[in-house]
Amino acid sequence: MDEHRLKCFVAVYEQGSVSAAAERLHMTQPPLSILLRKLEEELKVSLFDRSGHRLVPTATGELFYLRAKALQASLQAVRRELREAEQGSRGTVHVGCATAASLFLMPRVMEQLMACDLKITVHVHEGETGYMLQRLRERSLDLIICRSQYTAPELQNLEIMNEPLRVALPPQHPLCEHAQVPLAALRHERFLLHSSLLGTGISDMLLRACQQAGFTPEVAYWGVETLPMLLMVQKGLGVAFAPESFAQLGMQGLPALVPLQDAGLRTHLNLIWQRAHALPPAAERLKALILAQCGVQPAG
């Protein structure tokens, strides 16, 4: 049974005669009658009572009509979904996200998805960047948005955000009231830093800057996520560093984020994907939305 036979049966059922159905289908009557007979033989049932002058659907024919209409609707839905998937307006995209991307970027991207009526499901994965990079290479992630920069030849690395770094200070810290804090003023503090097993991240930049300022900081904690470190700072366990965007959170229980005096201490958010493998259409569409939100031109 194919779709054409379904269409012919539905036409005969709805028109009530083969001749009227043939006219609707732009075909002649004899081939349509033969097609109906073959359909009944294939299904091994009688779909119409032919004893009178008019075709009357049997109880089996009534049931088959309901099923045929449902099948037609299902086939139309399948075609529509396939077109949408091919055009990148439907699908699932797996994205590895840094905390800042999850907090500040992805909500805006999701608003755009809704505004554009795109049927894209975004599956966000958070965790250590090296692990996410491995998953990207295994193709279980489509994109990564992270702080670390990579120069591997198989990866495309595009900077999508650049913002100043701030220092998180414990409550009542004497530097809290300062408009800016020089890095050298933190030489006696315990540092809570982001671990960066692969690539170049915030901590690498900070450690170099500390050496240039004439000291090597005491690192009391290496972590992956920014928010837990900010909570530790609030408990007086040390100082941490966060992008300026974290000052927008306005959440209770978070420490003061004071601008750093050193102008070169900036943090970058990078979008990473594989060069060798074309992104699925939905992932390509999501990547375009991310770049548009950040005001970045696509990589050539």
Side-chain angles (χ1 to χ4, degrees), residues 90-290:
R90 175 184 291 272
T92 299
V93 185
H94 294 265
V95 185
C97 276
T99 305
S102 294
L103 288 172
F104 307 111
L105 176 58
M106 293 311 297
R108 301 202 308 267
V109 171
M110 295 304 296
E111 287 177 347
Q112 278 299 109
L113 286 178
M114 181 176 291
C116 297
D117 195 27
L118 297 175
K119 301 173 180 67
I120 295 176
T121 300
V122 180
H123 192 163
V124 166
H125 306 254
E126 294 188 8
E128 196 275 317
T129 307
Y131 172 67
M132 290 197 294
L133 188 64
Q134 178 184 344
R135 296 193 64 189
L136 179 71
R137 289 191 168 107
E138 294 170 352
R139 303 184 71 181
S140 57
L141 288 180
D142 300 300
L143 303 164
I144 296 178
I145 307 172
C146 66
R147 293 288 173 192
S148 299
Q149 294 179 310
Y150 298 95
T151 56
E154 74 276 14
L155 299 178
Q156 178 70 49
N157 189 112
L158 183 63
E159 182 182 300
I160 59 174
M161 192 179 294
N162 184 320
E163 57 183 324
L165 204 58
R166 291 193 175 193
V167 58
L169 299 171
Q172 286 79 53
H173 194 285
L175 294 174
C176 282
E177 301 304 320
H178 288 221
Q180 291 183 326
V181 174
L183 193 61
L186 302 173
R187 66 174 61 246
H188 301 300
E189 304 290 342
R190 289 157 51 91
F191 279 35
L192 315 177
L193 293 180
H194 295 80
S195 58
S196 178
L197 300 179
L198 298 170
T200 303
I202 293 175
S203 298
D204 303 281
M205 174 183 62
L206 281 167
L207 291 174
R208 285 196 302 270
C210 288
Q211 290 175 353
Q212 291 170 1
F215 73 101
T216 299
E218 175 192 355
V219 181
Y221 178 86
W222 290 97
V224 175
E225 301 293 344
T226 301
L227 283 176
M229 286 189 276
L230 294 181
L231 294 175
M232 292 180 195
V233 171
Q234 186 68 8
K235 292 179 180 293
L237 301 178
V239 300
F241 300 86
E244 185 178 63
S245 51
F246 275 79
Q248 305 167 13
L249 283 176
M251 293 172 55
Q252 290 185 349
L254 291 185
L257 286 173
V258 183
L260 288 163
Q261 193 177 82
D262 312 71
L265 293 177
R266 304 182 65 85
T267 177
H268 313 275
L269 206 56
N270 305 283
L271 183 63
I272 302 173
W273 66 96
Q274 289 205 63
R275 293 180 188 271
H277 303 288
L279 287 171
E284 191 65 52
R285 179 69 69 92
L286 185 71
K287 185 186 82 173
L289 286 178
I290 292 170

